[in-house]
Amino acid sequence: MKAPIILATDTSDLEIAKQWARLVAPHITGIKLGLEFFLNFGAEGVRAVCADHELDLFLDLKLHDIPNTVGQAAAAVAGLRPRFLTVHASGGQAMIAAAAKELPATEVTAVTILTSLDEPDLIEIGYRSNALDSAVGLAKLAISAGAKAIVCSPMEVAAIRTAIGSKPAIITPGVRPIDASAPLDDQVRTMTPLAAIQAGASYVVIGRPITRFWNQGEAAFKANLAQICEPLLDR
Ligand code: C5P
């Protein structure tokens, strides 16, 4: 059994990304490759990282444009067979539906509210509700338009799970294993991976708590990974 973790592959070094994929593949569910990676290495880079590993691809491109453009962009990555492809929920129903139509085998994954935005930012942009209510509303809209998964902050998982039911996947970044000595990096309101799963998340995205061990060698990387996976396997 694999832990419900998706590795945030935040590196601009293709070789390192390939090594990380090789090491985590037996233990965790998926690998997240984002816009920076895609712009640096393209579809070929994605194929290189995913080749020969049983890892689900979480292609985090956060598409947001008119429906036709997003539909065509989604079609352009169909050959990579992403399990998840992200779009911004605020792009609206028609845009989400256009992506879902092009990729029936992919879980079109709607990003609700970026956690980098605080409440004053949301008012400035024009949102009428607070972050939690806006995220719940966007999640419901996205699912009704054909999204099969939602990305949200761990603080919003429970409310969104209640709102959308048990079927859609909920994926959350911003989690940190319990380890008083480990830095929070730039994450602020964090939850442990287990607490996020218990609140209703299907998968947690974890980056630096795993990847920072890379410089300490393969044995240390694997030992730390096992420690992070353990509470999620032991449920
Ligand atoms: O290293 P860390 O575990 O903080 O990585 C989390 C990953 O999730 C990063 O790739 C980051 O960009 C992404 N993310 C996040 N918070 C969000 C949305 C995405 O940390 N609200």
Side-chain angles (χ1 to χ4, degrees), residues 61-216:
L61 300 184
K62 294 196 180 68
L63 303 177
H64 191 171
D65 209 315
I66 60 170
N68 182 59
T69 301
V70 166
Q72 295 306 314
V77 296
L80 296 175
R81 300 177 175 278
R83 173 167 171 202
F84 303 100
L85 171 68
T86 55
V87 302
H88 274 288
S90 56
Q93 301 230 21
M95 186 204 83
I96 295 164
K101 180 164 172 260
E102 293 297 333
L103 295 180
T106 291
E107 295 175 50
V108 168
T109 300
V111 176
T112 52
I113 304 265
L114 295 174
T115 48
S116 50
L117 299 173
D118 60 17
E119 302 288 349
D121 290 328
L122 295 181
I123 290 168
E124 198 172 62
I125 294 169
Y127 280 89
R128 279 177 300 174
S129 313
N130 61 27
L132 179 64
D133 292 346
S134 300
V136 169
L138 284 165
K140 288 203 298 202
L141 170 152
I143 296 299
S144 71
K148 302 234 173 57
I150 296 295
V151 171
C152 64
S153 131
M155 307 300 163
E156 293 153 5
V157 165
I160 289 181
R161 179 54 79 203
T162 302
I164 64 175
S166 59
K167 197 150 174 244
I170 299 180
I171 301 160
T172 180
V175 295
R176 284 291 175 270
I178 305 173
D179 180 350
S181 65
L184 287 174
D185 306 308
D186 47 4
Q187 301 288 6
V188 224
R189 294 182 308 137
T190 65
M191 234 187 224
T192 67
L194 182 60
I197 297 285
Q198 285 170 340
S202 317
Y203 301 100
V204 290
V205 172
I206 305 180
R208 289 161 292 181
I210 294 174
T211 58
R212 74 160 54 90
F213 281 77
W214 177 242
N215 292 334
Q216 298 180 30

